[in-house]
C-alpha cells in the first residue's frame, strides 16, 4: 500500500545519472555483448548543463494530447490532477464511439461482423489525433490514452530516454528532420513510450520478419535506474528474459513488434506518414497492431524508437473492474478491485495522488 510520511528532499540524482551503453545485437547473449563494449557511456546530466526542454510544460513536445470519451469524466479528473502534480499540461481529444460511425467512413478492410465497434472507435480517435497534428502544423505531439499512469519522476526518465533516442538516430535517414529543435533528436518520426509487450527486431516470428537490410537491432541500455522495477514486478518482455540483463535496466531500441498503443509521440513528418498508413490505407485489425506494422515495416521510411519497461502504462484503478477499458469487455458482473495497480511503474503517480496533494514524499508501489 502507498502511505504518506513527512516530506523530505527527494533525491533523484540516481535517476538522472544512469549508465548507458549501446549494443549491436545480432547474435549471442547480452552479457557477451556488454563485455565487448569498450566502456559504458554516461549521459550528461540536465542539471549540469541547463535543463532540457523535456522539463517544460509539454515534456519537450509542442502538445500533449489525451484521447478519451467525453462521458468518462472519471478518467479526465484523474489525468488532469496527475499531470498538474507532475508538471505538465494536457489537451483533450474526444474519443469516438464506433457504433456512431457511418459505414461509408469505415476504413478499407473493416468488417463490422468480426471486429468490435469499440476497436473501430479506438482507431478513429487515434487517427483524429494524427489529423489534428497535420491540420494545425504541430511540430511534435505526445498522444496518450486516458487511462495512463506514469512515474512521479517522468521528466527525469524522459531526459534519459531522450539522450538514448538521439544515440539511436545516428543511423536513421535525415531527409525529414523535426521542424523545430527537439530534445529527443531531429531525425525521428515516432517515439513509442507506452506499450505492454515488446518483441525485439531479431526475435520476430517468421510471419512478421522484414528484409535483412531493413532490420535494426541496436539498443541503448540504461543501467541502475531506480524507477525500473525488480523481479517479479518487471514485465512486458515478449521475446526475451529480464534475467539476460542486470537488475534495474531500461532498454531503448528500434521496435520490432509492440503491442498496446498506450502512449506515443509523432513528429510532423511522422503524423503525415501515420495518417497516410493508418487512416487511408486500410484497417482490418486492432489499432495497435497496425501501429506496430507502421514501425516494423518502416512504412514510408518511418523512423521509430521505443523503450521497455514503458514510461506510460495502463492503470487499473480500485473499484469496478468492468470500468477499466472502453475497448475490451471486462465482464458485466460488477466485480470490485480492492487495490489499484499499474504494471512496471515504481513511483506510480496515480497511486501517490494522496501523498502528492498533501506535499508528502511519493512511495514505491511494491515493498522490496
Amino acid at each position: 500500500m502507498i502511505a504518506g510520511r513527512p516530506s523530505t528532499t527527494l533525491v533523484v540524482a540516481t535517476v538522472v545519472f544512469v549508465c548507458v551503453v549501446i549494443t549491436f545485437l545480432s547474435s549471442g547473449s547480452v552479457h557477451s555483448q556488454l563485455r565487448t563494449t569498450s566502456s559504458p557511456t554516461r549521459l550528461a546530466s540536465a542539471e549540469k548543463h541547463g535543463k532540457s526542454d523535456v522539463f517544460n510544460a509539454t515534456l519537450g513536445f509542442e502538445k500533449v494530447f489525451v484521447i478519451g470519451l467525453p462521458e468518462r469524466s472519471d478518467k479526465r479528473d484523474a489525468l488532469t490532477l496527475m499531470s498538474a502534480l507532475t508538471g505538465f499540461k494536457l489537451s483533450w481529444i474526444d474519443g469516438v464511439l464506433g457504433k456512431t460511425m457511418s459505414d461509408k467512413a469505415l476504413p478499407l478492410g473493416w468488417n463490422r461482423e468480426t471486429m468490435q465497434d469499440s476497436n473501430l472507435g479506438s482507431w478513429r480517435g487515434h487517427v483524429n489525433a494524427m489529423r489534428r497534428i497535420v491540420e494545425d502544423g504541430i511540430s511534435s505531439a505526445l498522444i496518450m490514452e486516458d487511462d495512463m499512469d506514469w512515474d512521479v519522476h517522468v521528466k527525469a526518465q524522459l531526459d534519459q530516454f531522450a539522450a538514448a533516442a538521439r544515440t539511436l538516430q545516428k543511423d536513421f535517414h535525415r531527409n525529414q528532420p523535426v521542424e523545430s529543435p527537439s530534445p529527443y533528436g531531429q531525425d525521428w518520426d515516432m517515439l513509442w513510450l507506452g506499450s505492454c509487450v515488446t518483441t525485439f527486431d531479431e526475435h520476430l516470428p517468421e510471419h512478421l520478419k522484414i528484409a535483412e537490410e531493413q532490420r535494426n537491432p541496436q539498443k541503448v541500455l540504461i543501467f541502475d535506474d531506480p524507477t525500473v522495477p525488480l523481479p517479479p514486478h518487471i514485465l512486458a518482455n515478449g521475446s526475451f528474459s529480464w534475467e539476460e540483463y542486470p537488475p534495474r535496466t531500461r532498454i531503448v531500441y528500434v521496435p520490432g513488434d509492440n503491442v498496446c498503443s498506450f502512449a506515443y509521440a509523432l513528429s510532423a513528418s511522422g503524423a503525415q506518414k501515420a495518417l497516410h498508413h493508418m487512416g487511408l490505407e486500410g484497417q482490418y485489425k486492432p489499432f495497435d497492431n497496425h501501429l506496430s506494422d507502421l514501425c516494423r515495416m518502416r512504412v514510408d521510411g518511418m523512423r521509430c524508437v521505443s523503450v521497455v519497461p514503458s514510461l506510460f502504462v495502463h492503470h487499473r484503478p480500485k473499484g469496478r473492474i468492468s470500468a477499466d477499458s472502453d475497448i475490451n469487455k471486462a465482464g458485466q458482473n460488477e466485480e470490485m478491485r480492492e487495490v489499484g495497480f499499474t504494471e512496471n511503474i515504481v513511483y506510480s503517480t496515480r497511486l501517490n495522488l494522496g501523498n502528492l496533494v498533501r506535499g508528502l514524499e511519493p512511495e514505491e508501489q511494491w515493498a522490496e
Side-chain angles (χ1 to χ4, degrees):
M1 292 286 290
I2 299 285
R5 60 176 180 263
S7 178
T8 59
T9 301
L10 184 61
V11 179
V12 296
T14 50
V15 181
V16 177
F17 290 96
V18 288
C19 292
V20 176
V21 60
I22 186 166
T23 61
F24 299 84
L25 303 188
S26 56
S27 61
S29 73
V30 69
H31 298 295
S32 64
Q33 288 139 13
L34 288 176
R35 284 199 297 268
T36 62
T37 304
S38 58
S39 63
T41 303
R42 188 175 294 275
L43 296 180
S45 162
E47 292 183 354
K48 283 184 69 174
H49 300 291
K51 282 194 173 181
S52 158
D53 284 347
V54 166
F55 292 87
N56 70 19
T58 50
L59 304 178
F61 306 103
E62 188 173 338
K63 290 282 188 179
V64 178
F65 290 126
V66 183
I67 303 169
L69 293 171
E71 58 264 34
R72 290 307 302 264
S73 55
D74 55 327
K75 294 184 177 182
R76 296 199 181 203
D77 291 345
L79 259 68
T80 297
L81 184 57
M82 291 163 62
S83 62
L85 289 168
T86 49
F88 63 98
K89 297 179 180 179
L90 306 176
S91 299
W92 288 87
I93 292 181
D94 287 346
V96 177
L97 292 173
K99 64 184 180 181
T100 66
M101 289 185 58
S102 166
D103 286 347
K104 293 181 180 180
L106 295 182
L108 181 67
W110 192 267
N111 186 335
R112 281 197 189 268
E113 294 183 2
T114 60
M115 294 290 289
Q116 297 182 74
D117 277 343
S118 55
N119 288 115
L120 178 62
S122 172
W123 165 79
R124 187 64 252 175
H126 281 275
V127 172
N128 284 350
M130 296 168 180
R131 188 176 69 189
R132 174 81 171 272
I133 297 171
V134 175
E135 281 180 336
D136 291 354
I138 295 170
S139 61
S140 66
L142 175 61
I143 300 169
M144 70 173 77
E145 296 174 350
D146 65 353
D147 50 6
M148 288 302 96
D149 193 6
W150 52 84
D151 198 285
V152 170
H153 311 101
V154 66
K155 290 187 176 182
Q157 291 177 326
L158 284 168
D159 189 41
Q160 291 301 313
F161 168 81
R166 294 194 300 269
T167 299
L168 287 181
Q169 289 168 51
K170 292 177 181 178
D171 290 333
F172 288 2
H173 72 74
R174 300 183 179 183
N175 60 354
Q176 292 175 302
V178 178
E179 293 179 358
S180 60
S182 169
Y184 300 97
Q186 298 305 120
D187 299 300
W188 59 274
D189 292 309
M190 188 169 102
L191 307 174
W192 201 327
L193 300 174
S195 64
C196 59
V197 179
T198 295
T199 300
F200 290 144
D201 210 13
E202 64 270 24
H203 300 152
L204 288 170
E206 194 63 38
H207 71 285
L208 293 180
K209 285 185 177 178
I210 60 175
E212 188 72 35
E213 62 272 14
Q214 290 185 308
R215 297 179 191 175
N216 189 338
Q218 294 186 57
K219 297 170 180 63
V220 176
L221 306 183
I222 303 175
F223 292 131
D224 301 322
D225 183 342
T227 68
V228 172
L230 292 170
H233 305 297
I234 188 169
L235 304 170
N237 48 318
S239 69
F240 64 95
S241 170
W242 282 112
E243 293 179 358
E244 299 172 5
Y245 297 87
R248 306 284 194 187
T249 297
R250 198 179 301 276
I251 307 169
V252 181
Y253 62 99
V254 177
D257 184 49
N258 283 357
V259 180
C260 299
S261 50
F262 291 156
Y264 56 94
L266 293 171
S267 65
S269 62
Q272 292 171 353
K273 295 171 185 179
L275 184 59
H276 176 229
H277 180 68
M278 307 292 295
L280 302 177
E281 291 299 303
Q283 180 86 4
Y284 56 90
K285 53 187 176 181
F287 173 83
D288 58 333
N289 297 149
H290 268 291
L291 192 69
S292 184
D293 291 346
L294 179 67
C295 284
R296 176 179 56 84
M297 298 190 300
R298 322 295 194 242
V299 175
D300 294 328
M302 196 74 176
R303 302 162 297 177
C304 301
V305 178
S306 190
V307 58
V308 62
S310 289
L311 302 183
F312 295 86
V313 182
H314 170 69
H315 176 70
R316 302 183 187 278
K318 64 181 179 181
R320 289 177 293 110
I321 293 176
S322 61
D324 280 1
S325 175
D326 297 312
I327 300 175
N328 300 314
K329 302 298 182 183
Q332 305 300 322
N333 61 359
E334 299 304 303
E335 183 180 354
M336 301 292 286
R337 179 183 295 114
E338 297 300 323
V339 179
F341 69 94
T342 307
E343 294 177 351
N344 279 340
I345 303 294
V346 174
Y347 294 92
S348 159
T349 299
R350 179 65 182 267
L351 295 177
N352 271 295
L353 283 176
N355 290 340
L356 296 176
V357 297
R358 290 179 290 163
L360 301 179
E361 182 177 325
E363 296 197 2
E364 295 186 30
Q365 184 175 182
W366 305 283
E368 300 302 339

